Amino acid sequence: MGKKMRLWRYLSLGTVASAFLFSASLATAAKYQDPEDVALAFDPSDGTALSVTVDGAPVGITKYVVTYVANPVAADTTTLSNADQPYGYQRMAIFVPDNLAADQDAAIIFAVNNGGWMKSELGSRGFSIEDGGSYVSNTNTDRTGAALAAGYIFVDVGTRSRTAVGADGSWIGKAPSVVVDAKAAIRYLRLNDAVIPGSSEKIVITGTSGGGGLSTAIAASGNSADYYPYLNEIGAAGIDSHKKKLTSTLKDDVFAVIAYCPITDLGNADIAYEWQFGPVRELNDYLAGPGGGRKAGAWVLDTLPAYMLDISNEMALEYPDYLASLGLKMSPRKRLTVETMPEAIMAYAKASIEKALEDGKNVPNLGEAWDATTWPSYAPDYAPESLTSYVNDWFSYDAVGTVTVHSYENFLKYVKATTDLKGAPSFDVTGTSEVGASVGKGETNLFGAADVAYSNFMAWAWNNNNVAGDGSGLDDTGLFWNQYIGGSELEKQIKLINPLPYLISRKDGDSAPYWYVRHGLRDRDTSFAVEMELFYAIDNDPSVLDVNTALAYDTGHAGNYDVLEAYEWLADILADEALPGHREKSKHGQKKGHRK
């Protein structure tokens, strides 16, 4: 097994289905108007046979690996794990179980792997499905087993993003390339929908952390013309140019999203973080290692420099006006503001604890010891330390499981006690002198032109950049942030990777109708404030039919920890979709699954 095979030799598919796929492929290719679309026609004969087990039973799978754009960007092969595939960032693997080979209606799980908003070379970490692999559907951690058992197609997607280096030495992964690549992969599936098993109208995008942020950006900005110039440049399917005007013959919206701890709204993530966590920062709660990065060398206990508290206080002052500018509503008569944000967060925290009690988890009551695995920065290899006792001082519950939350501030201290806070700033830190040296590089290298290593992307970092010659900041441009940003390419970059502008807009972007988003109850990799922005932006979008958002009890920065619940939700959505008139009825009724 694992060798390339011709479909006419694939006995489980059958001669009739094989002939149908070949004829459909030829017929579809004949209709293509754009030469790039012709070049992107799917070849159903170019598959690799795999044999795996799902819940102990043997399952045959065909794996197809394709380059999903006509003009892929070559990478520096010395930086790739597979030097024979210079276009590995713009390739995807499509896994088709034998019993779905002639099924054109199955859902497609579209998995992105961009933690930290980093590049994702296809296959560099292995594939989600490997020959000889064993997968199960009855655990909360095996999404692949759950997808295969449910009868879904599975797709692994490679994308450019931060740190990707081109063959010419340029930085080929700058924003919005990661979103553009994922959209191009979706367009490939749409172009070849009649030939590739599964339905491109039922694409479910899923990812964690930066991949969760990417998933939400894709799910919010479907079919937006903002991306056409970038898609055209790489030869994405369905983009036509006529008289210098770009149009699209294909869609790139998705059916649903399952996102974990999404890192979003990067342009405002630092000011939200400091507004939220600044009040509980102390001079002795920062841990740093030699070399700056959080995994660099042997970790040593350090103190939070006093200047970081000043930075934190300065940045926090920007958040109230920004949050108010979003115009988000908690209810028809209540807006999401800095005054109501703690209420919103604690409502989600309360729901998280109540669900944990319903599920029979061991939840400490007020004054009881709470054993939580800690993740201090100085732990060897950034691994969890042994359990440490923490006393619950922020919520209580009665005999029937009704939870009362008592202290928002103590909740933040609980989060801080189980995982060290990030430095200030964290997301946009490169180029800011000693701060950049002591904290790490954050996401600064996601932004800027391809010929520069990075660009600051928020006001404080831009105005305080003092690295001469890096092309970023007041020192090099002579312009303060508010003088530089308006109408700049940097402004576009920040918008194009952020789901909020598209969720809030009523004119730009077609949002996915179905959303499942989780963030850990003690996850401090981004602020709860940013996650509330996302939760309520989804809820406020009238085109969204079902929103299922929650804080996961006693969970840090992680993903795919509630696979059974997530895939049960998806199965219910797909079952409802099969009912006549479902969407028309849903638009006039209550959204389902909304937890807070």
Side-chain angles (χ1 to χ4, degrees):
M1 303 301 287
K3 297 179 179 179
K4 285 195 173 181
M5 51 171 284
R6 296 291 177 184
L7 272 181
W8 55 74
R9 291 171 137 178
Y10 193 13
L11 298 180
S12 63
L13 178 60
T15 305
V16 175
S18 177
F20 168 77
L21 288 176
F22 277 114
S23 62
S25 177
L26 294 173
T28 304
K31 294 180 180 179
Y32 293 159
Q33 299 298 313
D34 190 281
E36 292 174 334
D37 289 0
V38 174
L40 293 174
F42 176 73
D43 181 359
S45 70
D46 193 15
T48 301
L50 309 179
S51 180
V52 305
T53 62
V54 178
D55 295 331
V59 173
I61 291 175
T62 302
K63 170 185 173 183
Y64 302 94
V65 177
V66 300
T67 300
Y68 54 75
V69 292
N71 304 320
V73 181
D76 176 0
T77 56
T78 65
T79 66
L80 300 176
S81 62
N82 186 351
D84 295 330
Q85 294 292 343
Y87 305 119
Y89 293 128
Q90 292 171 311
R91 288 164 67 81
M92 66 177 166
I94 305 168
F95 299 92
V96 181
D98 287 8
N99 65 334
L100 300 180
D103 188 334
Q104 295 301 121
D105 192 51
I108 299 173
I109 304 300
F110 187 96
V112 295
N113 302 285
N114 302 89
W117 284 94
M118 299 293 283
K119 64 187 179 182
S120 177
E121 177 193 352
L122 184 67
S124 62
R125 304 174 186 173
F127 292 92
S128 293
I129 300 174
E130 299 279 7
D131 192 34
S134 179
Y135 309 95
V136 295
S137 65
N138 61 351
T139 75
N140 263 321
T141 56
D142 189 348
R143 70 175 179 184
T144 306
L148 293 176
Y152 306 146
I153 308 295
F154 200 98
V155 175
D156 273 332
V157 185
T159 54
R160 296 169 296 161
S161 197
R162 39 185 300 232
T163 72
V165 182
D168 61 358
S170 66
W171 300 100
I172 60 175
K174 294 301 184 67
S177 64
V178 61
V179 178
V180 172
D181 283 354
K183 283 178 174 285
I186 291 167
R187 286 170 167 271
Y188 181 95
L189 295 174
R190 279 249 163 72
L191 178 74
N192 295 287
D193 191 34
V195 190
I196 300 174
S199 172
S200 65
E201 297 300 318
K202 296 179 181 178
I203 294 174
V204 182
I205 189 168
T206 183
T208 296
S209 188
L214 170 61
S215 297
T216 62
I218 294 291
S221 65
N223 310 319
S224 172
D226 288 353
Y227 301 88
Y228 288 0
Y230 307 94
L231 290 164
N232 183 61
E233 184 178 3
I234 59 175
I239 299 295
D240 290 338
S241 177
H242 180 64
K243 295 183 179 180
K244 297 184 179 181
K245 181 179 180 180
L246 296 176
T247 59
S248 180
T249 60
L250 293 169
K251 299 187 299 179
D252 53 42
D253 58 327
V254 296
F255 174 79
V257 55
I258 298 176
Y260 293 94
C261 51
I263 304 298
T264 65
D265 199 10
L266 281 175
N268 302 283
D270 271 314
I271 62 174
Y273 200 92
E274 298 315 317
W275 172 83
Q276 177 128 62
F277 289 115
V280 296
R281 285 191 183 279
E282 298 173 4
L283 287 177
N284 63 350
D285 73 350
Y286 174 66
L287 300 161
R294 291 182 69 81
K295 293 184 180 180
W299 289 98
V300 294
L301 182 64
D302 200 354
T303 58
L304 180 71
Y307 67 78
M308 276 197 184
L309 291 181
D310 293 335
I311 293 170
S312 176
N313 292 334
E314 184 178 343
M315 289 194 297
L317 294 175
E318 298 179 41
Y319 189 62
D321 286 345
Y322 168 69
L323 179 60
S325 74
L326 296 178
L328 297 171
K329 294 181 179 180
M330 296 172 61
S331 67
R333 296 184 179 181
K334 182 182 292 186
R335 290 191 176 273
L336 185 65
T337 66
V338 291
E339 289 76 26
T340 59
M341 180 67 81
E343 175 189 345
I345 294 169
M346 298 314 289
Y348 269 94
K350 178 178 183 293
S352 174
I353 299 162
E354 288 177 340
K355 184 176 185 298
L357 291 167
E358 292 172 6
D359 292 344
K361 293 183 179 180
N362 184 20
V363 179
N365 214 327
L366 189 68
E368 295 179 350
W370 189 341
D371 286 334
T373 307
T374 60
W375 292 79
S377 308
Y378 56 86
D381 299 322
Y382 202 49
E385 279 203 327
S386 58
L387 293 176
T388 182
S389 183
Y390 179 86
V391 175
N392 172 19
D393 60 357
W394 60 275
F395 72 87
S396 61
Y397 58 89
D398 60 23
V400 295
T402 301
V403 173
T404 301
V405 291
H406 302 287
S407 174
Y408 168 72
E409 181 180 2
N410 286 353
F411 164 69
L412 296 181
K413 290 180 178 179
Y414 149 76
V415 175
K416 170 184 159 183
T418 56
T419 311
D420 302 322
L421 297 178
K422 291 182 172 184
S426 174
F427 298 92
D428 184 11
V429 62
T430 308
T432 55
S433 189
E434 57 188 7
V435 180
S438 64
V439 181
K441 293 183 171 59
E443 281 77 16
T444 315
N445 60 353
L446 182 60
F447 300 94
D451 60 350
V452 297
Y454 61 85
S455 174
N456 296 112
F457 58 92
M458 71 158 189
W460 186 91
W462 180 274
N463 293 336
N464 288 275
N465 177 301
N466 57 10
V467 176
D470 66 358
S472 179
L474 171 65
D475 61 334
D476 279 6
T477 65
L479 298 174
F480 285 99
W481 175 257
N482 59 357
Q483 297 171 313
Y484 176 86
I485 191 62
S488 67
E489 187 63 28
L490 178 58
E491 184 180 48
K492 294 179 185 177
Q493 288 182 310
I494 296 168
K495 175 188 175 182
L496 292 172
I497 64 165
N498 188 1
L500 292 183
Y502 298 95
L503 286 167
I504 293 171
S505 171
R506 297 295 177 261
K507 298 179 180 180
D508 192 13
D510 296 324
S511 300
Y514 304 108
W515 292 70
Y516 183 100
V517 186
R518 292 292 182 270
H519 185 77
L521 186 62
R522 54 186 178 90
D523 183 351
R524 66 34 155 176
D525 275 43
T526 193
S527 64
F528 296 97
V530 162
E531 299 296 36
M532 292 300 112
E533 293 171 14
L534 177 64
F535 288 3
Y536 282 101
I538 299 167
D539 192 50
N540 289 181
D541 187 335
S543 67
V544 174
L545 304 182
D546 187 290
V547 51
N548 192 312
T549 52
L551 299 179
Y553 175 76
D554 200 27
T555 300
H557 195 66
N560 300 305
Y561 43 72
D562 61 350
V563 167
L564 296 179
E565 180 180 348
Y567 281 74
E568 181 181 5
W569 169 84
L570 178 58
D572 288 344
I573 292 298
L574 289 166
D576 286 348
E577 272 284 315
L579 299 175
H582 167 67
R583 290 205 180 190
E584 288 75 11
K585 293 177 182 178
S586 297
K587 287 181 180 178
H588 300 289
Q590 289 282 330
K591 293 179 182 179
K592 300 190 306 176
H594 190 198
R595 278 199 198 110
K596 55 183 175 181

